[in-house]
Amino acid sequence: MMMYCQHCGRALAGQTDYCPHCRKPQDKPAPEPAEGAEKRTMSGQGFKYWLKNVFWYHYRLRTFAILFAVFVIALTVYSTATAEKNDFIFILMSEKPVAEEQAAELAEFWIESIDGVTKLSYHALYLHDSSEYAMNGWQLLQIALISDEHSVFIVGESLTWVFGENNNNILFYTAEELGLPSGGPLPELIPLQGISMLDDLYLNWEPMYALVKRPYYNRDGSLKPETIERSELSIDCLRALLNA
């Protein structure tokens, strides 16, 4: 194969280092890459190349999903750890009009009156018909009956039949056990008639009654300290309401 000078273009006549005509040095041509050399070059680019062109190309969607799941779990754990817990939750319920504002006023009264009560949650259930709102209220009531946090029930006479269907001597204290006046249709119902605060809150459409849950026992028959405290605070709040 004839070679030519890169500068003057004349034939080199076998001389490839210097041109015999212009005496200028010649650049050696780059060798043809051997088979598989391209792959070796690509693999030689290291971790950065693999991260961008292999991992990120194939697994970016899965990576986003995993990162999102980790974020949600971390946020849930943080919220649970830092959330201020309720001392207890109470239910205000009737077939007559009741409102969240009335329950909020009652919660504020208990927080101001009872040492140790700092945060209360509540639900006002106006269960007067078969509307979607009432249906949601009935579902919430079923949850409240089995939840250990829902401790006090303020009930209108129109709904006392609900508690007659349950095994109340296990679920609720009787008025006699608490040393409080009785007189309702069930021994667990504590009458709230004649309390001026309920009149101030316009909770006087019908006679109202209160129930207090017993503390829930663990499987081994023991009681958690927070369960005992919740029960004691609930009883103290009911006594304060009766004396209001």
Side-chain angles (χ1 to χ4, degrees):
M1 179 178 179
M2 181 63 69
M3 304 293 292
Y4 296 90
C5 178
Q6 299 169 352
H7 304 284
C8 65
R10 297 180 183 182
L12 296 178
Q15 176 59 260
T16 58
D17 294 332
Y18 290 90
C19 176
H21 308 286
C22 63
R23 305 302 298 173
K24 291 184 178 180
Q26 305 297 303
D27 296 331
K28 293 184 178 180
E32 292 292 330
E35 184 178 357
E38 184 179 356
K39 293 183 179 179
R40 289 195 296 272
T41 302
M42 290 171 59
S43 62
Q45 296 183 32
F47 176 76
K48 184 177 180 181
Y49 176 85
W50 173 85
L51 180 65
K52 178 180 179 181
N53 294 282
V54 180
F55 176 81
W56 192 247
Y57 179 80
H58 292 287
Y59 300 105
R60 62 182 182 276
L61 296 180
R62 192 175 301 177
T63 301
F64 281 128
I66 293 174
L67 290 175
F68 178 76
V70 170
F71 172 77
V72 171
I73 293 172
L75 183 62
T76 302
V77 171
Y78 174 79
S79 300
T80 303
T82 59
E84 186 179 359
K85 294 184 178 180
N86 295 305
D87 295 306
F88 64 83
I89 305 173
F90 70 90
I91 296 287
L92 173 63
M93 54 184 285
S94 175
E95 286 187 351
K96 307 296 182 180
V98 291
E100 293 287 325
E101 292 77 10
Q102 293 168 308
E105 289 285 342
L106 186 54
E108 188 63 28
F109 165 74
W110 280 332
I111 291 173
E112 293 178 354
S113 304
I114 305 299
D115 292 336
V117 177
T118 59
K119 181 174 173 52
L120 296 177
S121 187
Y122 49 81
H123 302 288
L125 307 182
Y126 182 18
L127 305 176
H128 67 295
D129 57 20
S130 58
S131 65
E132 183 177 353
Y133 174 83
M135 293 300 295
N136 291 336
W138 284 111
Q139 293 176 358
L140 181 57
L141 176 59
Q142 295 302 314
I143 295 173
L145 288 172
I146 61 175
S147 166
D148 58 345
E149 286 190 291
H150 293 76
S151 187
V152 176
F153 292 74
I154 308 297
V155 186
E157 189 175 47
S158 56
L159 289 178
T160 54
W161 60 269
V162 173
F163 300 92
E165 297 179 352
N166 297 296
N167 196 1
N168 290 324
N169 61 338
I170 296 177
L171 191 58
F172 296 101
Y173 287 108
T174 65
E176 183 179 0
E177 286 178 291
L178 298 178
L180 298 176
S182 59
L186 297 169
E188 297 80 19
L189 291 169
I190 300 165
L192 302 177
Q193 287 86 327
I195 297 176
S196 59
M197 182 178 180
L198 296 187
D199 293 333
D200 294 339
L201 295 177
Y202 299 102
L203 290 172
N204 51 10
W205 293 90
E206 62 177 340
M208 304 295 290
Y209 297 88
L211 300 97
V212 180
K213 271 188 182 177
R214 298 180 186 275
Y216 282 88
Y217 286 87
N218 297 325
R219 292 183 177 179
D220 60 359
S222 63
L223 289 171
K224 295 180 179 179
E226 58 266 27
T227 303
I228 298 173
E229 182 179 5
R230 182 186 301 118
S231 181
E232 291 176 347
L233 288 177
S234 301
I235 297 170
D236 290 343
C237 285
L238 177 57
R239 292 183 188 278
L241 180 59
L242 290 170
N243 294 326

